[in-house]
Amino acid sequence: MRSVILEGRGNFIEWRDAARRLLSHGIEPNDVVWSDAAGGCDMLGLSIPDAGEAANGSLAVTATERFIDLAETVICNSSPARFGLLYRILSRMQSDKSLLNVASDEDVAAALKLEKSVRRDSHKMKAFVRFKEVIHQEVRARRQFVAWFEPDHFIVERVAPFFQRRFTDMDWIIATPRGSMMWDGQNLVTSREPAEKSIASDTTDDLWRTYYASIFNPARLKLKAMRAEMPKKYWKNLPEAVLIPELVGNAERSVMEMRQRQPTMPPLFHDRLQEATTLRISGDHETPVPGSLEELGSEARRCTRCPLHCNATQTVFGEGPVDARVMFVGEQPGDQEDLAGRPFVGPAGKVFDNALAEVGIDRRNVYVTNAVKHFKYVPRGKRRIHQKPNAGEIEACKWWLRQEIDLVKPQLVVALGATALASLTGRQGRLTDVRGVLMPLDGTRSLLATVHPSYLLRLPDLDHQQLEIKRFHADLRLVAEAQGA
């Protein structure tokens, strides 16, 4: 019987060398007792065969790439059985190279289970490490952080490169009972020596608690799933975990409060406006000229071509001179446009007006409309949140847009955003591919695509926003040049 003692802290090389020497001498798995200790590796007095011995007595040992990948992971497991299990599989693979393909094999199944446990432990470490800043009296070029984690397995060396890539811009130490890792901006150092916990709280703990409380959804609380994803053993090292008992205990009451704040339909003035619009239409005494833009707009007020008319206040038809040389086509009316019955009068409309003025275009000389004539939204309390129209709704409204184009006969049509571009051309590609380029449309007029003004409002970075506004103005200058041609 052979007895092999390994350090056993996730070092694949020490196990590989011992297994190779044992197997090359034909030692059966049942004749080996594996164990781990802090004292390193006892190689049983088996000297490394020299060239003569290798030729006369040693057996060749081979392993597949799949086995090496499996062994490198399994060796990180803390199970005492991992060494013997891997040696047994390697021994059997000398005569059966496809052994790992047999998932029902007892040894293979056991190894895959250990592998899965290591991978899960690695995932949990990446998810649940919480750094705390080390404050120094003197000013340092780089901020320094420490973290404490208690893994189930010897995964420090395995996950260290991830943390180095993820947090390369700061100095840090992650200490665990199974080893530590350190990054100083240039060198990644790992240690297999157990560390002791000595990490105080800091101001980021409150940030974690604020973040967790804000994303906690009591309506979707599933305790079993939550404990599976965030096992209770990790809670003691997570600053936000102190909130869990209270959040769970108040979940039912919080759900009831959420129900009371459920989205409501628009306020009463919405219904009054819709009623007034209906009365105005039915009360019109002047008959529009057949085939005119006014007649088309009157017909559009009664549009039921798609379900959007059910919740919208009114149809928002285009406006502008019937002989306008330029037509701007947006996506759909917004909240303020829906209430006013006019296109581009809300926040995006103000951006649009300012841009026109900047490049010298008088809005009164251009025709402005939308690809979709009704406001699509979802109610959120007293607010109505814009929703992008789908392909069916765009297709249903395309008939109105084509009639507008045929009646106005613009020389240039400007698509404001991807929805307008899709309605005008059927193109579903990226707007950036054709932005700012004059293209033929219907063989009789030109098309220019640019962004929708609402896109500029949504940009959070002010520098980027100013850059995009300048690009938008540059696109509109092409329109001004075409208008003046």
Side-chain angles (χ1 to χ4, degrees):
M1 184 65 67
R2 305 282 183 147
S3 177
V4 181
I5 304 174
L6 303 180
E7 183 183 11
R9 296 189 178 275
N11 187 348
F12 169 72
I13 302 299
E14 66 168 355
W15 175 87
R16 182 202 64 186
D17 292 344
R20 179 184 293 164
R21 295 178 67 173
L22 290 168
L23 202 56
S24 67
H25 284 74
I27 300 175
E28 295 294 328
N30 292 335
D31 294 333
V32 183
V33 176
W34 298 83
S35 58
D36 55 33
C41 176
D42 179 349
M43 296 305 293
L44 315 175
L46 290 176
S47 59
I48 299 175
D50 56 28
E53 273 188 288
N56 299 323
S58 293
L59 303 175
V61 179
T62 60
T64 63
E65 290 187 9
R66 173 69 183 99
F67 174 79
I68 294 174
D69 291 340
L70 175 69
E72 287 178 341
T73 303
V74 171
I75 213 68
C76 298
N77 199 287
S78 58
S79 169
R82 63 193 184 280
F83 305 124
L85 175 63
L86 289 175
Y87 185 67
R88 190 161 56 248
I89 293 175
L90 180 62
S91 176
R92 294 175 59 192
M93 288 185 66
Q94 302 311 299
S95 58
D96 184 2
K97 302 299 183 186
S98 61
L99 177 62
L100 293 182
N101 295 330
V102 186
S104 59
D105 182 86
E106 185 176 350
D107 287 339
V108 174
L112 292 176
K113 185 177 180 180
L114 296 184
E115 178 189 41
K116 181 179 180 181
S117 181
V118 171
R119 294 189 185 281
R120 177 178 173 81
D121 200 32
S122 301
H123 168 72
K124 296 303 180 187
M125 185 171 186
K126 296 172 185 177
F128 295 142
V129 159
R130 298 290 183 264
F131 284 107
K132 302 179 187 296
E133 187 167 8
V134 179
I135 305 299
H136 299 277
Q137 292 183 350
E138 69 277 11
V139 177
R140 301 202 174 195
R142 288 164 58 91
R143 299 169 69 186
Q144 295 183 321
F145 296 80
V146 295
W148 172 261
F149 187 75
E150 299 177 18
D152 292 331
H153 307 300
F154 300 100
I155 59 172
V156 170
E157 294 182 16
R158 179 180 180 85
V159 300
F162 164 83
F163 285 99
Q164 184 241 316
R165 293 191 303 269
R166 180 67 178 82
F167 302 103
T168 189
D169 60 338
M170 66 188 198
D171 296 343
W172 48 259
I173 295 175
I174 302 178
T176 84
R178 300 182 183 274
S180 304
M181 63 183 86
M182 182 185 73
W183 169 251
D184 63 2
Q186 294 182 335
N187 302 302
L188 178 64
V189 179
T190 61
S191 169
R192 296 171 188 163
E193 293 300 319
E196 295 184 1
K197 182 179 180 181
S198 59
I199 299 176
S201 61
D202 68 0
T203 55
T204 59
D205 290 352
D206 290 333
L207 294 177
W208 275 111
R209 284 188 280 268
T210 301
Y211 170 72
Y212 188 75
S214 67
I215 66 171
F216 183 83
N217 187 347
R220 295 186 176 182
L221 177 62
K222 295 181 180 179
L223 288 175
K224 185 176 181 181
M226 185 185 76
R227 289 182 181 129
E229 184 61 29
M230 185 191 289
K232 204 166 183 178
K233 63 185 178 182
Y234 297 119
W235 290 13
K236 60 183 177 181
N237 295 318
L238 300 176
E240 66 270 29
V242 298
L243 302 177
I244 294 177
E246 181 181 358
L247 292 172
V248 172
N250 295 332
E252 186 175 352
R253 178 171 58 84
S254 298
V255 170
M256 293 181 65
E257 292 176 354
M258 289 173 62
R259 287 173 179 168
Q260 293 175 357
R261 299 193 302 267
Q262 272 186 337
T264 60
M265 291 307 294
L268 290 176
F269 73 81
H270 170 270
D271 294 329
R272 291 199 299 269
L273 280 172
Q274 199 166 36
E275 182 180 358
T277 301
T278 303
L279 290 174
R280 185 175 72 249
I281 295 172
S282 61
D284 285 345
H285 296 293
E286 294 186 11
T287 303
V289 177
S292 68
L293 197 60
E294 291 79 7
E295 184 185 45
L296 184 67
S298 180
E299 289 182 28
R301 294 192 188 103
R302 301 179 177 86
C303 177
T304 58
R305 298 174 71 90
C306 76
L308 293 184
H309 76 280
C310 298
N311 294 323
T313 304
Q314 57 192 313
T315 301
V316 180
F317 200 67
E319 64 176 23
V322 69
D323 58 349
R325 300 178 67 177
V326 178
M327 175 184 287
F328 287 90
V329 182
E331 179 190 78
Q332 66 162 343
D335 180 78
Q336 295 187 31
E337 289 82 0
D338 174 71
L339 299 176
R342 296 182 56 210
F344 284 87
V345 296
K350 291 181 174 60
V351 174
F352 179 62
D353 288 343
N354 292 337
L356 291 181
E358 177 70 23
V359 301
I361 297 177
D362 189 339
R363 176 165 171 169
R364 293 172 298 180
N365 295 332
V366 299
Y367 189 89
V368 182
T369 188
N370 283 297
V372 175
K373 311 302 185 187
H374 286 111
F375 179 34
K376 182 178 181 180
Y377 63 92
V378 289
R380 288 288 183 270
K382 294 183 179 181
R383 299 180 61 199
R384 299 187 295 170
I385 307 301
H386 164 277
Q387 271 197 320
K388 186 175 181 179
N390 60 38
E393 293 154 355
I394 296 172
E395 184 64 30
C397 232
K398 187 183 294 185
W399 187 86
W400 297 110
L401 180 58
R402 298 308 306 176
Q403 296 299 313
E404 287 179 287
I405 294 175
D406 289 344
L407 288 171
V408 177
K409 297 181 175 59
Q411 295 179 0
L412 174 63
V413 179
V414 183
L416 299 173
T419 297
L421 182 63
S423 178
L424 290 165
T425 66
R427 179 187 179 91
Q428 298 296 329
R430 297 188 307 171
L431 177 68
T432 52
D433 292 340
V434 295
R435 178 180 178 179
V437 179
L438 287 172
M439 301 176 290
L441 179 67
D442 298 338
T444 58
R445 54 185 58 91
S446 299
L447 172 68
L448 178 74
T450 185
V451 297
H452 195 281
S454 63
Y455 161 75
L456 305 174
L457 290 173
R458 294 193 300 268
L459 294 174
D461 183 83
L462 293 180
D463 292 337
H464 187 203
Q465 184 184 60
Q466 291 304 312
L467 178 63
E468 285 299 315
I469 289 175
K470 290 180 180 178
R471 290 189 63 195
F472 184 56
H473 289 173
D475 292 340
L476 293 190
R477 286 191 180 92
L478 296 176
V479 177
E481 294 171 4
Q483 188 183 39

